[in-house]
Amino acid sequence: MRFKTRRCLLAMAALGAAFAGSGRADAGMTLTADGIVQGFSLSTFADNFPSTSNIGPVGIGFAPGGNVLVTDYGSAAGTMYNFATDTDGQHAGPGLATATYGANNPTGIATLDGNLYMALQGSGAVYQINNDGTFRQVIATGIPTATDIVADPATGKLYVSALGSGIYVIDTTNKNQVSRLSTISTDGMSLSADGKTLYVANGGNLLAVSTATGLQTQYLGFISGLDGTALGTGTLAGNIFANTNGGSVVEVSLNTLNQTVIASGGSRGDLVKVDPHNGTLLLTQSDSILRLSPPTGGGFGNPAPEPSTLILAAVGGLTGLGARWRRRRPA
């Protein structure tokens, strides 16, 4: 069962505790033999994040201006950091901090129609933020333990996971009207390309949930520590990729439900985000963000490029990326 305060997250976390050629990103996560054979590679996008009880960066977003925003749930101030796009080997620090939102608070980020939205777990709210991550306006309140947020550009809706409370919908085309879609307790989420299905982390259960009814339509298996997820594209289509609190990345076939561990040995993983510039996947860890690059012909994707001004190129390999997702609750 998921809980509504970070105290539970920290307690559970305490209990649980880049070199592309070698499949190693840093001293932690490495590709498994299966990951190497498939042609994945790992690098470190950014490190040096403050963390508390192994909880550090959680939310990742891409601004229309090209910068990468990261919420550090594990920092005492709930810091927002700004990073350069497509540049690995960066380091979090005061010079990259642009805003603070309070401890136990900032989590997932989504882009919709060129606007950035952020979930705040402690506040139970969703904010619209500026391209540098600073506050713009309150969009919605009354969403308990708001955690992940995904956008459907076809409908103008934002889906917000609420640990212990379900899934909420914000209709940005109708005065930001808020409604409760589902009572299924949800952490990380992914949206299908047709917008009809949310793939959600419910405890360790991977579920398919209808965006029309809010009901579970399929049980896709159990993954210990399941958190952020992303769907595959190109040669990876038909698979979903899960970041886990136990430091592994698991590939799940949506057809056969077979599971393959493609990376392991990492620290706590939370939410993930697809890089719209190149189709790679950014994975949160306790004090870093790793980049998982797909095999040639494959990629990771959303219903449409985020932000909408950019083109999602499902670029495979990307072995020359240079040197080298709770924030809220835990597995």
XYZ file of all heavy atoms in Angstrom, residues 136-248:
790
model
N 4.695 30.227 -11.958
C 3.841 31.109 -12.746
C 2.470 31.251 -12.103
O 2.036 32.339 -11.785
C 3.688 30.622 -14.181
C 2.744 31.505 -15.012
C 2.675 31.098 -16.468
N 3.941 31.335 -17.162
C 4.110 31.157 -18.469
N 3.105 30.730 -19.218
N 5.280 31.385 -19.021
N 1.757 30.134 -11.936
C 0.431 30.210 -11.336
C -0.009 28.837 -10.850
O 0.495 27.808 -11.293
C -0.588 30.746 -12.336
C -0.783 29.873 -13.561
C -1.835 30.406 -14.513
O -2.806 31.036 -14.098
N -1.658 30.162 -15.813
N -0.973 28.837 -9.929
C -1.578 27.597 -9.442
C -2.646 27.162 -10.436
O -3.512 27.953 -10.813
C -2.209 27.797 -8.052
C -2.910 26.511 -7.606
C -1.150 28.199 -7.034
N -2.590 25.917 -10.858
C -3.557 25.370 -11.812
C -4.642 24.567 -11.101
O -5.813 24.633 -11.449
C -2.851 24.483 -12.861
C -1.898 25.322 -13.698
C -3.859 23.775 -13.750
C -2.563 26.431 -14.481
N -4.241 23.791 -10.103
C -5.207 22.937 -9.414
C -4.737 22.658 -8.002
O -3.535 22.609 -7.727
C -5.397 21.628 -10.170
N -5.690 22.472 -7.105
C -5.400 22.074 -5.722
C -6.310 20.906 -5.365
O -7.168 20.492 -6.152
C -5.637 23.242 -4.747
O -7.004 23.685 -4.867
C -4.702 24.407 -5.047
N -6.134 20.368 -4.163
C -6.990 19.289 -3.706
C -6.704 17.951 -4.343
O -7.593 17.093 -4.430
N -5.441 17.758 -4.795
C -5.028 16.464 -5.347
C -4.043 15.856 -4.353
O -2.857 16.178 -4.368
C -4.379 16.620 -6.729
C -5.355 17.303 -7.696
C -3.952 15.264 -7.281
C -4.777 17.587 -9.067
N -4.494 15.005 -3.448
C -3.628 14.498 -2.381
C -2.384 13.800 -2.930
O -2.481 12.975 -3.848
C -4.528 13.510 -1.636
C -5.926 13.882 -2.026
C -5.837 14.410 -3.413
N -1.244 14.134 -2.362
C 0.040 13.512 -2.732
C 0.243 13.447 -4.244
O 0.616 12.407 -4.789
C 0.179 12.104 -2.121
O -0.930 11.285 -2.530
C 0.227 12.158 -0.617
N -0.020 14.554 -4.923
C 0.210 14.625 -6.370
C 1.657 14.259 -6.669
O 2.582 14.816 -6.070
C -0.095 16.032 -6.875
N 1.882 13.334 -7.601
C 3.224 12.795 -7.800
C 3.676 12.861 -9.245
O 4.506 13.675 -9.613
C 3.287 11.350 -7.268
O 2.957 11.361 -5.868
C 4.683 10.775 -7.431
N 3.169 12.008 -10.087
C 3.554 12.050 -11.496
C 2.497 12.818 -12.280
O 1.348 12.946 -11.851
C 3.709 10.636 -12.050
C 4.555 10.596 -13.325
O 5.098 11.650 -13.713
O 4.679 9.506 -13.921
N 2.906 13.328 -13.442
C 1.971 14.068 -14.284
C 2.338 13.815 -15.745
O 3.506 13.910 -16.117
C 1.992 15.572 -13.935
C 1.019 16.361 -14.819
C 3.384 16.147 -13.997
C 0.812 17.799 -14.341
N 1.342 13.434 -16.540
C 1.566 13.199 -17.966
C 0.508 13.966 -18.749
O -0.609 14.203 -18.255
C 1.526 11.700 -18.329
C 2.655 10.951 -17.652
C 0.183 11.086 -17.968
N 0.855 14.359 -19.961
C -0.019 15.193 -20.776
C -0.508 14.453 -22.008
O 0.215 13.652 -22.601
C 0.725 16.459 -21.199
N -1.740 14.735 -22.402
C -2.292 14.238 -23.659
C -2.531 15.440 -24.566
O -3.519 16.169 -24.412
C -3.603 13.497 -23.420
C -4.144 12.856 -24.695
O -3.579 13.124 -25.779
O -5.119 12.085 -24.602
N -1.642 15.686 -25.529
C -1.775 16.865 -26.383
C -3.006 16.828 -27.278
O -3.472 17.869 -27.740
C -0.485 16.847 -27.214
C -0.034 15.432 -27.194
C -0.440 14.897 -25.858
N -3.562 15.642 -27.515
C -4.734 15.537 -28.384
C -5.996 16.063 -27.707
O -6.911 16.550 -28.371
C -4.944 14.087 -28.806
N -6.046 15.972 -26.369
C -7.249 16.374 -25.637
C -7.026 17.578 -24.739
O -7.997 18.144 -24.213
C -7.757 15.215 -24.769
O -6.752 14.878 -23.793
C -8.070 13.992 -25.624
N -5.773 17.960 -24.515
C -5.480 19.056 -23.593
C -5.644 18.673 -22.141
O -5.795 19.533 -21.272
N -5.580 17.373 -21.853
C -5.753 16.908 -20.478
C -4.410 16.558 -19.834
O -3.494 16.074 -20.503
C -6.678 15.688 -20.439
C -8.117 16.008 -20.802
C -8.989 14.767 -20.749
C -10.442 15.114 -21.083
N -11.316 13.903 -21.068
N -4.344 16.822 -18.531
C -3.209 16.407 -17.715
C -3.690 15.324 -16.756
O -4.712 15.486 -16.078
C -2.662 17.589 -16.903
C -2.070 18.754 -17.689
C -1.871 19.960 -16.767
C -0.737 18.354 -18.331
N -2.964 14.218 -16.712
C -3.271 13.145 -15.774
C -2.275 13.204 -14.626
O -1.061 13.258 -14.850
C -3.210 11.787 -16.469
C -4.256 11.622 -17.553
C -3.964 11.904 -18.890
C -5.550 11.205 -17.234
C -4.933 11.769 -19.877
C -6.526 11.064 -18.218
C -6.205 11.357 -19.531
O -7.165 11.232 -20.509
N -2.794 13.199 -13.400
C -1.954 13.361 -12.214
C -2.156 12.166 -11.292
O -3.291 11.858 -10.896
C -2.299 14.657 -11.456
C -1.358 14.855 -10.270
C -2.239 15.861 -12.392
N -1.066 11.484 -10.961
C -1.164 10.367 -10.030
C -1.196 10.902 -8.600
O -0.514 11.864 -8.264
C 0.013 9.402 -10.208
O 1.235 10.005 -9.839
N -1.999 10.260 -7.767
C -2.135 10.657 -6.368
C -1.980 9.416 -5.512
O -2.898 8.592 -5.442
C -3.484 11.326 -6.119
N -0.833 9.279 -4.892
C -0.560 8.084 -4.102
C -1.607 7.898 -3.024
O -1.873 8.790 -2.229
C 0.816 8.199 -3.452
C 1.993 8.083 -4.420
C 3.285 8.456 -3.737
C 2.064 6.682 -4.979
N -2.215 6.737 -3.026
C -3.228 6.433 -2.029
C -4.603 6.959 -2.374
O -5.585 6.604 -1.726
N -4.693 7.815 -3.406
C -5.984 8.440 -3.709
C -6.474 8.190 -5.120
O -7.645 8.417 -5.411
C -5.909 9.950 -3.478
O -5.627 10.233 -2.122
N -5.604 7.770 -6.027
C -6.058 7.475 -7.372
C -5.385 8.301 -8.443
O -4.207 8.645 -8.346
N -6.148 8.635 -9.468
C -5.663 9.405 -10.610
C -6.645 10.547 -10.862
O -7.863 10.333 -10.899
C -5.555 8.538 -11.876
C -4.652 7.325 -11.624
C -5.014 9.363 -13.049
C -4.704 6.286 -12.736
N -6.111 11.753 -11.041
C -6.937 12.921 -11.298
C -6.688 13.439 -12.715
O -5.625 13.212 -13.292
C -6.645 14.021 -10.282
C -7.179 13.719 -8.900
C -6.540 12.790 -8.075
C -8.323 14.341 -8.420
C -7.033 12.493 -6.805
C -8.827 14.060 -7.154
C -8.175 13.135 -6.356
O -8.671 12.845 -5.096
N -7.681 14.143 -13.247
C -7.582 14.730 -14.587
C -7.802 16.235 -14.487
O -8.748 16.693 -13.827
C -8.626 14.132 -15.548
C -8.474 14.736 -16.931
C -8.496 12.623 -15.616
N -6.928 16.988 -15.133
C -7.097 18.435 -15.256
C -7.348 18.740 -16.725
O -6.517 18.426 -17.581
C -5.850 19.190 -14.766
C -5.532 18.822 -13.319
C -6.047 20.704 -14.915
C -4.208 19.374 -12.831
N -8.493 19.338 -17.022
C -8.837 19.686 -18.394
C -8.416 21.130 -18.649
O -9.108 22.070 -18.251
C -10.341 19.516 -18.616
C -10.739 19.681 -20.076
O -9.894 20.131 -20.873
O -11.895 19.355 -20.412
N -7.278 21.308 -19.306
C -6.764 22.656 -19.547
C -7.582 23.410 -20.585
O -7.425 24.623 -20.740
C -5.290 22.616 -19.990
O -5.190 21.942 -21.255
C -4.425 21.915 -18.961
N -8.453 22.707 -21.307
C -9.307 23.373 -22.301
C -10.617 23.860 -21.691
O -11.404 24.526 -22.356
C -9.624 22.422 -23.474
O -10.482 21.362 -23.019
C -8.358 21.835 -24.059
N -10.856 23.512 -20.425
C -12.110 23.869 -19.762
C -11.826 24.454 -18.381
O -12.157 23.864 -17.358
C -13.020 22.641 -19.655
C -14.392 22.972 -19.091
O -14.832 24.118 -19.121
N -15.065 21.962 -18.553
N -11.157 25.596 -18.377
C -10.878 26.347 -17.145
C -10.146 25.506 -16.103
O -10.332 25.659 -14.901
C -12.183 26.898 -16.552
C -12.933 27.826 -17.493
C -14.232 28.315 -16.865
C -14.984 29.223 -17.835
N -16.260 29.716 -17.260
N -9.306 24.580 -16.578
C -8.516 23.717 -15.694
C -9.403 22.947 -14.712
O -9.055 22.770 -13.542
C -7.470 24.532 -14.943
C -6.457 25.154 -15.882
O -6.058 24.544 -16.870
N -6.047 26.376 -15.592
N -10.519 22.488 -15.200
C -11.441 21.708 -14.377
C -10.761 20.426 -13.899
O -10.131 19.715 -14.680
C -12.694 21.368 -15.171
C -13.755 20.616 -14.371
C -14.969 20.290 -15.214
O -14.848 19.680 -16.266
N -16.138 20.714 -14.754
N -10.927 20.106 -12.622
C -10.307 18.927 -12.014
C -11.377 17.881 -11.708
O -12.440 18.202 -11.160
C -9.573 19.291 -10.714
C -8.930 18.049 -10.093
C -8.517 20.355 -10.973
N -11.090 16.641 -12.067
C -11.987 15.542 -11.728
C -11.155 14.320 -11.357
O -9.991 14.216 -11.732
C -12.923 15.210 -12.897
O -12.174 14.850 -14.053
N -11.767 13.429 -10.637
C -11.091 12.200 -10.226
C -11.434 11.099 -11.221
O -12.591 10.717 -11.364
C -11.521 11.804 -8.818
C -10.666 10.713 -8.178
C -11.200 10.398 -6.796
N -10.331 9.505 -6.053
C -10.649 8.989 -4.866
N -11.819 9.293 -4.303
N -9.815 8.193 -4.246
N -10.421 10.605 -11.894
C -10.634 9.576 -12.909
C -10.741 8.196 -12.305
O -11.565 7.378 -12.729
C -9.482 9.597 -13.921
C -9.447 8.453 -14.935
C -10.623 8.569 -15.900
C -8.125 8.430 -15.687
N -9.887 7.904 -11.327
C -9.770 6.532 -10.835
C -9.417 6.526 -9.358
O -8.805 7.465 -8.843
C -8.682 5.794 -11.624
O -8.460 4.489 -11.122
N -9.799 5.466 -8.675
C -9.430 5.278 -7.270
C -8.201 4.381 -7.132
O -7.795 4.064 -6.009
C -10.596 4.669 -6.482
O -10.946 3.404 -7.063
C -11.810 5.584 -6.494
N -7.607 3.979 -8.240
C -6.434 3.104 -8.202
C -5.211 3.915 -7.764
O -4.820 4.868 -8.439
C -6.177 2.468 -9.578
C -7.350 1.563 -9.964
C -4.871 1.683 -9.578
C -7.270 1.028 -11.382
N -4.628 3.563 -6.634
C -3.451 4.268 -6.142
C -2.316 4.135 -7.147
O -1.971 3.030 -7.569
C -3.015 3.685 -4.795
O -1.873 4.361 -4.308
N -1.733 5.268 -7.544
C -0.801 5.287 -8.666
C 0.424 6.117 -8.357
O 0.338 7.178 -7.742
C -1.506 5.845 -9.924
O -2.603 4.988 -10.255
C -0.559 5.913 -11.106
N 1.573 5.643 -8.832
C 2.842 6.367 -8.713
C 3.226 6.850 -10.114
O 2.611 7.746 -10.663
C 3.894 5.446 -8.101
C 5.127 6.196 -7.637
O 5.318 7.349 -8.061
O 5.907 5.635 -6.856
N 4.242 6.248 -10.738
C 4.641 6.637 -12.074
C 3.622 6.200 -13.112
O 2.910 5.200 -12.934
N 3.558 6.957 -14.241
C 2.565 6.663 -15.279
C 3.168 6.862 -16.667
O 4.116 7.620 -16.855
C 1.364 7.613 -15.175
C 0.610 7.563 -13.887
S -0.892 8.617 -13.974
C -0.152 10.239 -14.156
N 2.575 6.178 -17.647
C 2.848 6.400 -19.069
C 1.511 6.428 -19.787
O 0.561 5.749 -19.369
C 3.693 5.275 -19.673
O 4.927 5.151 -19.018
N 1.424 7.178 -20.885
C 0.193 7.262 -21.663
C 0.409 6.638 -23.029
O 1.408 6.913 -23.700
C -0.230 8.726 -21.816
C -1.545 8.999 -22.551
C -2.736 8.443 -21.767
C -1.715 10.502 -22.778
N -0.529 5.814 -23.456
C -0.426 5.176 -24.769
C -0.518 6.220 -25.873
O -1.039 7.323 -25.684
C -1.528 4.130 -24.946
O -2.809 4.745 -24.919
N -0.028 5.869 -27.060
C 0.003 6.810 -28.177
C -1.386 7.281 -28.583
O -1.552 8.415 -29.041
C 0.706 6.166 -29.369
N -2.406 6.432 -28.399
C -3.764 6.826 -28.770
C -4.501 7.527 -27.628
O -5.662 7.937 -27.784
C -4.581 5.626 -29.246
C -4.715 4.534 -28.200
O -4.350 4.761 -27.018
O -5.174 3.430 -28.550
N -3.835 7.680 -26.482
C -4.429 8.385 -25.357
C -5.497 7.611 -24.614
O -6.142 8.142 -23.703
N -5.695 6.339 -24.950
C -6.781 5.567 -24.345
C -6.381 4.820 -23.083
O -7.244 4.390 -22.310
C -7.331 4.564 -25.365
C -8.004 5.204 -26.565
C -8.548 4.148 -27.519
C -9.258 4.788 -28.712
N -9.787 3.758 -29.651
N -5.061 4.650 -22.875
C -4.604 3.809 -21.776
C -3.480 4.469 -20.993
O -2.519 4.982 -21.573
C -4.106 2.449 -22.305
O -5.151 1.813 -23.035
C -3.674 1.548 -21.162
N -3.607 4.452 -19.674
C -2.523 4.826 -18.784
C -1.894 3.546 -18.250
O -2.598 2.647 -17.772
C -3.039 5.662 -17.613
C -3.376 7.129 -17.893
C -4.191 7.700 -16.741
C -2.113 7.941 -18.118
N -0.581 3.449 -18.349
C 0.147 2.340 -17.729
C 0.690 2.857 -16.412
O 1.488 3.798 -16.382
C 1.258 1.854 -18.654
C 0.732 1.275 -19.949
C 0.699 2.031 -21.110
C 0.238 -0.026 -19.994
C 0.193 1.506 -22.296
C -0.275 -0.559 -21.171
C -0.294 0.213 -22.316
O -0.813 -0.315 -23.480
N 0.235 2.260 -15.304
C 0.494 2.852 -14.000
C 1.204 1.875 -13.069
O 1.036 0.652 -13.154
C -0.811 3.336 -13.334
C -1.604 4.220 -14.301
C -1.680 2.180 -12.857
N 2.000 2.456 -12.163
C 2.649 1.699 -11.098
C 1.746 1.738 -9.880
O 1.489 2.807 -9.310
C 4.010 2.310 -10.772
N 1.254 0.578 -9.492
C 0.364 0.448 -8.340
C 1.025 -0.502 -7.356
O 0.927 -1.715 -7.485
C -1.003 -0.086 -8.794
C -1.868 -0.577 -7.653
O -2.021 -1.779 -7.456
N -2.427 0.339 -6.897
N 1.764 0.058 -6.377
C 2.634 -0.793 -5.597
C 3.652 -1.358 -6.557
O 4.245 -0.641 -7.356
N 3.846 -2.650 -6.567
C 4.720 -3.266 -7.558
C 3.970 -3.764 -8.765
O 4.549 -4.386 -9.658
N 2.673 -3.493 -8.834
C 1.847 -3.989 -9.922
C 1.841 -3.012 -11.095
O 1.637 -1.811 -10.913
C 0.414 -4.195 -9.445
C 0.313 -5.166 -8.289
O 0.767 -6.304 -8.397
N -0.258 -4.711 -7.181
N 2.076 -3.537 -12.294
C 1.974 -2.741 -13.509
C 0.592 -2.979 -14.093
O 0.248 -4.103 -14.466
C 3.056 -3.149 -14.505
C 3.064 -2.404 -15.846
C 3.247 -0.905 -15.648
C 4.162 -2.963 -16.751
N -0.215 -1.902 -14.157
C -1.599 -2.024 -14.590
C -1.855 -1.148 -15.809
O -1.245 -0.091 -15.979
C -2.561 -1.584 -13.479
C -2.377 -2.195 -12.088
C -3.389 -1.587 -11.126
C -2.512 -3.710 -12.130
N -2.796 -1.570 -16.648
C -3.335 -0.740 -17.713
C -4.679 -0.208 -17.234
O -5.528 -0.967 -16.757
C -3.506 -1.545 -18.997
N -4.860 1.119 -17.337
C -6.072 1.772 -16.855
C -6.686 2.581 -17.989
O -6.000 3.349 -18.673
C -5.762 2.693 -15.660
C -7.001 3.464 -15.227
C -5.204 1.886 -14.490
N -7.981 2.449 -18.182
C -8.690 3.166 -19.244
C -8.821 4.646 -18.889
O -9.255 4.996 -17.783
C -10.082 2.569 -19.451
O -10.885 3.412 -20.251
N -8.472 5.536 -19.822
C -8.660 6.964 -19.591
C -10.116 7.370 -19.762
O -10.500 8.486 -19.405
C -7.782 7.802 -20.542
O -8.099 7.470 -21.903
C -6.307 7.555 -20.292
N -10.944 6.480 -20.289
C -12.372 6.761 -20.448
C -13.150 6.441 -19.182
O -14.057 7.186 -18.784
C -12.942 5.968 -21.619
N -12.780 5.324 -18.527
C -13.552 4.863 -17.369
C -12.793 4.914 -16.054
O -13.402 4.881 -14.987
C -14.010 3.416 -17.591
O -12.851 2.558 -17.610
C -14.778 3.276 -18.901
N -11.454 4.959 -16.121
C -10.652 4.912 -14.907
C -10.522 3.522 -14.322
O -9.968 3.337 -13.233
N -11.014 2.516 -15.047
C -10.977 1.138 -14.563
C -9.767 0.400 -15.108
O -9.273 0.687 -16.199
C -12.247 0.408 -14.972
C -13.559 0.983 -14.440
C -14.744 0.188 -14.989
C -13.570 0.993 -12.913
N -9.299 -0.573 -14.348
C -8.193 -1.420 -14.803
C -8.670 -2.276 -15.969
O -9.730 -2.897 -15.916
C -7.736 -2.317 -13.664
C -6.645 -3.303 -14.058
C -6.266 -4.231 -12.918
O -6.296 -3.855 -11.757
N -5.906 -5.471 -13.250
N -7.878 -2.302 -17.034
C -8.223 -3.124 -18.193
C -7.291 -4.309 -18.367
O -7.608 -5.244 -19.102
C -8.207 -2.284 -19.478
O -6.898 -1.717 -19.644
C -9.244 -1.174 -19.407
N -6.127 -4.266 -17.713
C -5.181 -5.372 -17.857
C -4.197 -5.369 -16.704
O -3.788 -4.300 -16.223
C -4.415 -5.263 -19.182
C -3.576 -6.492 -19.528
C -2.905 -6.356 -20.885
O -2.944 -5.307 -21.522
N -2.276 -7.423 -21.348
N -3.836 -6.555 -16.252
C -2.770 -6.720 -15.269
C -1.530 -7.196 -16.014
O -1.552 -8.224 -16.692
C -3.159 -7.740 -14.201
C -2.058 -8.018 -13.201
C -1.726 -7.076 -12.241
C -1.357 -9.227 -13.216
C -0.719 -7.317 -11.314
C -0.350 -9.476 -12.301
C -0.035 -8.510 -11.351
O 0.971 -8.749 -10.441
N -0.432 -6.436 -15.905
C 0.753 -6.694 -16.712
C 1.911 -7.286 -15.922
O 3.002 -7.450 -16.478
C 1.195 -5.390 -17.385
C 0.139 -4.780 -18.320
C 0.507 -3.356 -18.700
C -0.020 -5.634 -19.558
N 1.671 -7.611 -14.655
C 2.703 -8.274 -13.887
C 3.196 -7.473 -12.698
O 2.841 -6.306 -12.504
N 4.030 -8.131 -11.900
C 4.590 -7.525 -10.692
C 6.075 -7.268 -10.893
O 6.806 -8.133 -11.381
C 4.388 -8.450 -9.486
C 4.956 -7.890 -8.209
C 4.198 -7.025 -7.427
C 6.242 -8.228 -7.802
C 4.724 -6.501 -6.252
C 6.769 -7.712 -6.629
C 6.007 -6.846 -5.846
N 6.518 -6.048 -10.520
C 7.930 -5.676 -10.580
C 8.286 -5.048 -9.246
O 7.733 -3.995 -8.879
C 8.209 -4.676 -11.717
C 7.784 -5.251 -13.058
C 9.682 -4.287 -11.742
C 7.836 -4.247 -14.199
N 9.172 -5.643 -8.509
C 9.531 -5.116 -7.199
C 10.070 -3.691 -7.314
O 10.962 -3.412 -8.100
C 10.594 -6.014 -6.559
O 10.964 -5.518 -5.284
N 9.492 -2.775 -6.538
C 9.954 -1.394 -6.533
C 9.547 -0.588 -7.746
O 10.111 0.474 -8.014
N 8.555 -1.048 -8.498
C 8.114 -0.378 -9.721
C 7.817 1.098 -9.476
O 7.155 1.458 -8.510
C 6.858 -1.070 -10.241
C 6.150 -0.441 -11.448
C 7.040 -0.484 -12.676
C 4.827 -1.169 -11.696
N 8.297 1.958 -10.392
C 8.056 3.394 -10.252
C 7.787 4.018 -11.618
O 6.766 3.770 -12.225
C 9.237 4.065 -9.544
C 8.809 5.295 -8.754
O 8.196 6.184 -9.353
O 9.073 5.356 -7.540
N 8.720 4.830 -12.145
C 8.495 5.489 -13.421
C 8.552 4.527 -14.593
O 9.306 3.550 -14.576
N 7.754 4.810 -15.634
C 7.731 3.947 -16.815
C 7.737 4.780 -18.092
O 7.364 5.952 -18.094
C 6.485 3.042 -16.843
O 5.303 3.851 -16.899
C 6.436 2.142 -15.619
N 8.154 4.148 -19.191
C 8.113 4.774 -20.513
C 7.891 3.697 -21.552
O 8.414 2.583 -21.449
C 9.414 5.518 -20.796
N 7.130 4.033 -22.579
C 6.855 3.102 -23.671
C 7.946 3.161 -24.718
O 8.562 4.205 -24.944
C 5.510 3.438 -24.304
C 4.295 3.171 -23.419
C 3.087 3.922 -23.939
C 4.009 1.677 -23.317
N 8.184 2.028 -25.366
C 9.165 1.970 -26.430
C 8.569 2.346 -27.768
O 7.359 2.236 -27.984
N 9.422 2.798 -28.696
C 9.002 3.119 -30.056
C 9.952 2.439 -31.032
O 10.998 1.916 -30.657
C 9.020 4.637 -30.306
O 10.359 5.129 -30.139
C 8.096 5.367 -29.350
N 9.602 2.462 -32.318
C 10.449 1.835 -33.324
C 10.604 0.354 -33.040
O 9.620 -0.352 -32.806
N 11.832 -0.133 -33.030
C 12.075 -1.549 -32.752
C 11.732 -1.933 -31.322
O 11.655 -3.122 -31.002
C 13.542 -1.909 -33.042
O 14.391 -1.096 -32.229
C 13.890 -1.707 -34.505
N 11.525 -0.955 -30.456
C 11.158 -1.224 -29.059
C 9.653 -1.113 -28.834
O 9.189 -1.265 -27.700
C 11.882 -0.256 -28.128
C 13.406 -0.314 -28.125
C 13.973 0.709 -27.150
C 13.903 -1.721 -27.776
N 8.887 -0.843 -29.893
C 7.438 -0.739 -29.758
C 6.864 -2.053 -29.237
O 7.344 -3.140 -29.570
C 6.809 -0.397 -31.104
N 5.845 -1.943 -28.402
C 5.251 -3.132 -27.796
C 5.881 -3.496 -26.480
O 5.516 -4.515 -25.875
N 6.824 -2.662 -26.020
C 7.470 -2.890 -24.735
C 7.335 -1.642 -23.870
O 7.229 -0.521 -24.376
C 8.952 -3.208 -24.915
C 9.174 -4.492 -25.677
O 8.891 -5.582 -25.192
N 9.671 -4.368 -26.904
N 7.340 -1.842 -22.554
C 7.351 -0.736 -21.615
C 8.554 -0.930 -20.689
O 8.929 -2.067 -20.372
C 6.028 -0.656 -20.829
C 5.941 0.660 -20.061
C 5.825 -1.857 -19.928
C 4.544 0.952 -19.531
N 9.165 0.173 -20.298
C 10.405 0.130 -19.537
C 10.187 0.773 -18.180
O 9.687 1.894 -18.083
C 11.522 0.826 -20.310
C 11.838 0.138 -21.602
C 11.073 0.356 -22.732
C 12.883 -0.773 -21.672
C 11.336 -0.302 -23.925
C 13.160 -1.446 -22.859
C 12.390 -1.205 -23.983
N 10.564 0.030 -17.120
C 10.278 0.454 -15.757
C 11.548 0.758 -14.988
O 12.494 -0.040 -14.981
C 9.497 -0.641 -15.030
N 11.582 1.916 -14.340
C 12.633 2.281 -13.399
C 12.172 1.836 -12.019
O 10.997 2.001 -11.664
C 12.825 3.800 -13.426
C 14.159 4.244 -12.845
O 15.125 3.482 -12.819
N 14.232 5.495 -12.408
N 13.056 1.262 -11.214
C 12.630 0.708 -9.939
C 13.389 1.310 -8.769
O 14.515 1.773 -8.897
C 12.819 -0.822 -9.893
O 14.218 -1.134 -9.738
C 12.281 -1.487 -11.153
N 12.746 1.260 -7.600
C 13.380 1.726 -6.377
C 14.591 0.877 -6.004
O 15.440 1.302 -5.222
C 12.386 1.689 -5.210
C 11.205 2.613 -5.392
O 10.170 2.415 -4.754
N 11.303 3.628 -6.235
N 14.675 -0.328 -6.558
C 15.787 -1.221 -6.240
C 17.002 -1.062 -7.129
O 17.947 -1.834 -7.020
N 16.981 -0.079 -8.031
C 18.164 0.197 -8.834
C 18.277 -0.601 -10.115
O 19.375 -0.793 -10.633
N 17.153 -1.065 -10.654
C 17.182 -1.817 -11.906
C 16.224 -1.195 -12.918
O 15.329 -0.422 -12.561
C 16.810 -3.288 -11.681
O 15.490 -3.402 -11.192
